[in-house]
Amino acid sequence: MVNKEVRDRIISLIHQEVVPAIGCTEPICVALCTARATEKLGTRPEKIEVLLSANILKNAMGVGIPGTGMIGLPIAIALGALIGKSDYQLEVLKDLTPASLEAGKQYVAENRIMIHQKTGVCEKLYAEVKVSAGDRSETAVIAGGHTHFVENEERKAQGKETADANNDEIALNMRMVYDFATSAPLEEIRFIQEARTYNMNAAREALKGNYGHNLGKTIERPLAKGIFGNSIFAHIISRTASACDARMGGAMIPVMSNSGSGNQGICATNPVCVYAKENENTEEELIRALILSHLTAIYIKQSLGKLSALCGCVVASIGSSCGITYLMGGDYQHICASVKNMIANLTGMICDGAKPSCSLKITSGVSTALLSALLAMEGKCVTSEEGIVDDSVDKSIHNLTSIGADAMCKTDEMVLNIMTDKNC
């Protein structure tokens, strides 16, 4: 049993990391930063200069902006300046109307926005927006977290770390995650059902339109049913992929994010919800499984970082595998086995930006999550004799995150170079 003080800190952490978001969080983060800078200026900017870390650029280049039918940063920045409200956080553009969209398109066409990569910062999540009108200018900086504003821009310009946002963050481990999820009083964790409401609704809404590559809808069609059948597996893949299709395709549909990523929130939620419904688990079992899934993802991101060269679906799929293993009747050892099985399979999947094809990667992650859970329940676990897996589940996780956060940095540079050269 986790004591009350620790429970309160964990609950605070979940509330901090599991929040509603409209659209891909990287361009929305830049729109949020623009909105704050504009609010400080007190008038419509005549010019906007934006400096971004490489990882923000990578994740914002190819993704649809909700409600606009457009892709990329310029329209997100324009709307952040024209209608954005920083109080809305990652829902900063929710007041979008057809009239304001036309105004945003005109603003972009007037070449008022300049976007560059920020050099000399080691923080992978960094956005700096300078807005000006006449002889006045104001600047806002977000660093370290998608909604974490930094007032002292000089410190960031010198390339120092921004750990302030996480100073009071409780350091998790897998045992603590499991014990909290399985023993916390139900009334303290019932709030996680909001994630189900948001993300399963996104899946349903997505099936009403044509978004991204329509992967979720494709799996519902007769040809796919002849391959996958009318199975729990097919339903899990469809409901998860369809929500991602809509989000990456620019649908004006809010989702519940995890660790700054809507796709991670979807991937940590929908597979667990679909399995619980079809397996006829109880409401309490679903709540605890969702907490286990989301908190596992948060734990892994503590050492991986908000943005990295490692695809976030790897992290969130590990969470959903833990949640599904729990719903299958698994105990702590089974869940540790599912984590190790996941790490043995998906390590190395690169992040090449947020885009419609993210639904394909999510499908790969969720497929592996189900396979890993099944193997774990059969008593099968990848051993420490194999690859980067260790006897300790926590060491295995840190082996994964050290590769994603450190060893794959050169990969990250190469991916961005390829993407920017292609766009040029």
Side-chain angles (χ1 to χ4, degrees):
M1 183 75 174
V2 180
N3 69 52
K4 183 67 165 62
E5 180 186 354
V6 172
R7 292 204 313 271
D8 286 346
R9 293 184 67 191
I10 292 174
I11 289 168
S12 175
L13 177 60
I14 297 172
H15 280 304
Q16 174 184 308
E17 299 293 351
V18 180
V19 297
I22 297 178
C24 176
T25 47
E26 275 68 56
I28 295 302
C29 162
V30 181
L32 174 63
C33 197
T34 305
R36 173 65 68 86
T38 302
E39 288 163 358
K40 291 167 69 175
L41 185 67
T43 189
R44 172 175 163 156
E46 295 170 3
K47 293 286 184 182
I48 304 176
E49 183 178 1
V50 181
L51 298 173
L52 305 173
S53 62
N55 286 76
I56 290 280
L57 277 172
K58 180 181 73 174
N59 276 1
M61 289 169 61
V63 69
I65 306 304
T68 68
M70 300 174 71
I71 288 174
L73 282 164
I75 189 63
I77 293 166
L79 292 174
L82 298 179
I83 56 111
K85 292 182 175 63
S86 63
D87 286 346
Y88 290 169
Q89 299 283 286
L90 293 178
E91 296 180 285
V92 61
L93 301 184
K94 70 179 181 180
D95 287 343
L96 179 65
T97 64
S100 59
L101 174 57
E102 289 307 310
K105 290 178 179 178
Q106 181 62 35
Y107 196 93
V108 172
E110 291 167 356
N111 294 319
R112 298 175 180 273
I113 300 168
M114 295 173 288
I115 304 170
H116 303 286
Q117 183 175 340
K118 176 76 173 182
T119 58
V121 291
C122 56
E123 176 58 64
K124 293 185 177 182
L125 198 166
Y126 183 89
E128 178 180 327
V129 178
K130 180 180 179 181
V131 296
S132 59
D135 59 355
R136 293 183 56 242
S137 66
E138 291 288 348
T139 300
V141 174
I142 287 177
H146 289 81
T147 60
H148 180 238
F149 286 96
V150 179
E151 298 303 327
N152 186 355
E153 294 98 28
E154 281 301 310
R155 182 162 60 112
K156 292 310 302 170
Q158 294 166 5
K160 295 181 180 178
E161 295 286 349
T162 309
D164 296 11
N166 303 318
N167 277 347
D168 298 325
E169 191 172 280
I170 186 168
L172 299 170
N173 59 61
M174 200 64 222
R175 184 80 228 191
M176 185 190 298
V177 168
Y178 175 82
D179 287 347
F180 174 82
T182 57
S183 68
L186 200 60
E187 61 273 14
E188 293 183 8
I189 58 174
R190 196 180 294 277
F191 65 87
I192 200 65
Q193 289 180 302
E194 272 195 288
R196 174 181 64 178
T197 302
Y198 273 88
N199 295 349
M200 291 301 291
N201 180 64
R204 286 187 292 271
E205 290 298 314
L207 294 175
K208 298 177 183 177
N210 291 307
Y211 300 105
H213 296 293
N214 276 328
L215 180 57
K217 290 181 76 172
T218 298
I219 295 168
E220 293 288 318
R221 290 172 179 156
L223 178 60
K225 286 187 182 295
I227 297 169
F228 297 109
N230 190 25
S231 63
I232 296 177
F233 173 76
H235 298 162
I236 287 174
I237 296 299
S238 174
R239 301 301 184 274
T240 309
S242 59
C244 178
D245 284 333
R247 183 172 173 271
M248 295 290 95
M252 202 70 176
I253 300 172
V255 301
M256 191 67 80
S257 65
N258 182 296
S259 304
S261 167
N263 281 350
Q264 286 171 198
I266 291 165
C267 198
T269 302
N270 291 20
V272 176
C273 292
V274 175
Y275 186 88
K277 180 180 179 181
E278 304 216 9
N279 195 48
E280 298 184 352
N281 289 99
T282 66
E283 180 184 57
E284 178 175 348
E285 287 169 339
L286 172 58
I287 290 170
R288 296 193 183 282
L290 284 172
I291 287 287
L292 179 59
S293 179
H294 277 274
L295 195 56
T296 297
I298 292 168
Y299 164 41
I300 298 172
K301 293 292 278 189
Q302 282 187 328
S303 54
L304 180 63
K306 289 288 193 294
L307 298 177
S308 74
L310 184 70
C311 178
C313 85
V314 175
V315 175
S317 296
I318 293 173
S320 62
S321 188
C322 292
I324 290 169
T325 303
Y326 173 78
L327 293 173
M328 289 177 172
D331 59 15
Y332 179 67
Q333 294 306 319
H334 291 113
I335 285 162
C336 289
S338 72
V339 172
K340 293 179 185 180
N341 292 340
M342 289 292 292
I343 291 171
N345 192 335
L346 284 185
T347 298
M349 184 186 288
I350 65 167
C351 170
D352 54 345
K355 59 209 175 301
S357 61
C358 284
S359 60
L360 292 166
K361 294 190 177 186
I362 277 184
T363 298
S364 297
V366 173
S367 300
T368 305
L370 288 162
L371 179 61
S372 297
L374 282 170
L375 281 174
M377 293 306 295
E378 289 291 321
K380 304 296 183 183
C381 178
V382 175
T383 70
S384 59
E385 303 298 318
E386 305 172 65
I388 67 167
V389 171
D390 194 273
D391 287 329
S392 161
V393 67
D394 295 296
K395 178 62 175 169
S396 296
I397 287 170
H398 286 95
N399 289 345
L400 167 72
T401 58
S402 65
I403 290 172
D406 302 321
M408 292 176 71
C409 287
K410 191 66 178 176
T411 300
D412 222 12
E413 292 175 17
M414 179 60 71
V415 167
L416 183 64
N417 288 340
I418 291 170
M419 291 173 67
T420 52
D421 287 348
K422 182 175 60 175
N423 284 322
C424 287

